[in-house]
Amino acid sequence: MRVDFDPQTMGRDAFYRLLTAVVVPRPIAWVSTVSADGVDNLAPHSFFTISCVEPPIVQFTSVGRKDSLRNVEATGEFVVNLAPEALFEQINATATDFPAEQGEFEAVGIEPEPSLVVKPPRVAASPVALECRLHSTVCLGDSTIVLGRVVHAVVDEEALVDGHPEITRLRPLSRLGKNEWGTTGELREIARVPYANWRER
C-alpha cells in the first residue's frame, strides 16, 4: 500500500521536506563567493550537480535570494569546494544566516587560500575546488539555478591514486532529509554492459 502526497494541498514547506527526504543522497556544493563590497562568503548548497561535459559546467540552486546568488550575480564568479567529512561541523556552521557584511570564513574560523583564476578564495582544507565563471542563471519559482563554467580545478595530491581522485580519500559528505547527513559508507562497483555484449551475459 502506498501513501499519496499532493503538493497542491500540502503547501511549500511540507512538500519541500518530503522532496529532500526522498531525493537522497545529494552532493554538497560548498560555494565561496565575494560580494561587490569585498566580503568573502561561504555557504553549502545541496541542490548541486554537473550540467555539461563540454564545456564543463556545474550548477547549484539557491532556494530564495541568498548571499551566494547575489554575489555571483554581482561578480560573475564562484568556487565549488568539496565538503569533506572532516569539516562536518564547519560546513554546517556556514549554513547559519550570517548578515551579508559578515564573512563566513572569518566567523567560522575557516582558512581560505587564493584561487588561481577567479577572485573568490578556495577553502584551504577542502580536497577539491572547482573555480567557476557564471554561465547563466535560470529562475524557477522561488529558486534560481546558477550555472558556472569550470575554468580551473584543483585536487589535493593526497586524494589522488594514479592521478585520479579516489572516493575513499575524498570522503565527501552528502545531505539527506531533516538534519541528516550522509557519509561515503560501503562502496559497490560494477561496470556497464555494452549492448554488443548483452547476449553474452
Side-chain angles (χ1 to χ4, degrees):
M1 180 176 180
R2 293 176 181 259
V3 178
D4 295 314
F5 295 88
D6 183 354
Q8 302 303 317
T9 59
M10 289 178 65
R12 175 197 183 277
D13 292 346
F15 203 74
Y16 169 81
R17 288 192 294 270
L18 176 69
L19 281 177
T20 55
V22 298
V23 182
V24 290
R26 299 186 307 282
I28 300 167
W30 203 11
V31 178
S32 52
T33 58
V34 177
S35 73
D37 295 327
V39 178
D40 293 332
N41 177 267
L42 182 63
H45 295 266
S46 69
F47 293 3
F48 164 61
T49 192
I50 300 167
S51 302
C52 185
V53 176
E54 181 54 46
I57 294 175
V58 295
Q59 72 177 64
F60 73 91
T61 297
S62 175
V63 180
R65 291 196 55 79
K66 297 179 179 177
D67 291 339
S68 298
L69 173 60
R70 286 190 288 266
N71 293 348
V72 170
E73 289 176 336
T75 67
E77 296 181 335
F78 63 95
V79 177
V80 173
N81 303 276
L82 184 137
E85 291 180 21
L87 299 179
F88 173 54
E89 293 185 359
Q90 293 96 321
I91 295 163
N92 184 62
T94 59
T96 300
D97 56 343
F98 291 104
E101 63 272 13
Q102 184 171 8
E104 285 79 2
F105 280 93
E106 183 177 357
V108 178
I110 296 170
E111 181 183 355
E113 69 177 17
S115 293
L116 185 67
V117 177
V118 299
K119 186 174 181 180
R122 307 188 296 229
V123 174
S126 173
V128 178
L130 305 176
E131 300 181 19
C132 302
R133 289 203 174 103
L134 179 63
H135 175 276
S136 57
T137 59
V138 180
C139 295
L140 298 172
D142 67 353
S143 302
T144 303
I145 301 171
V146 178
L147 296 119
R149 179 167 182 161
V150 181
V151 293
H152 187 69
V154 291
V155 180
D156 194 325
E157 186 177 40
E158 294 183 0
L160 298 173
V161 175
D162 297 329
H164 188 76
E166 172 61 39
I167 191 68
T168 58
R169 298 187 179 188
L170 295 175
R171 308 300 297 182
L173 287 165
S174 61
R175 284 289 280 124
L176 307 174
K178 299 180 287 188
N179 290 320
E180 302 160 339
W181 299 61
T183 56
T184 303
E186 179 185 359
L187 298 176
R188 301 178 68 182
E189 186 173 347
I190 187 171
R192 295 182 184 182
V193 180
Y195 181 70
N197 300 336
W198 185 257
R199 292 180 179 273
E200 301 174 6
R201 293 176 74 234

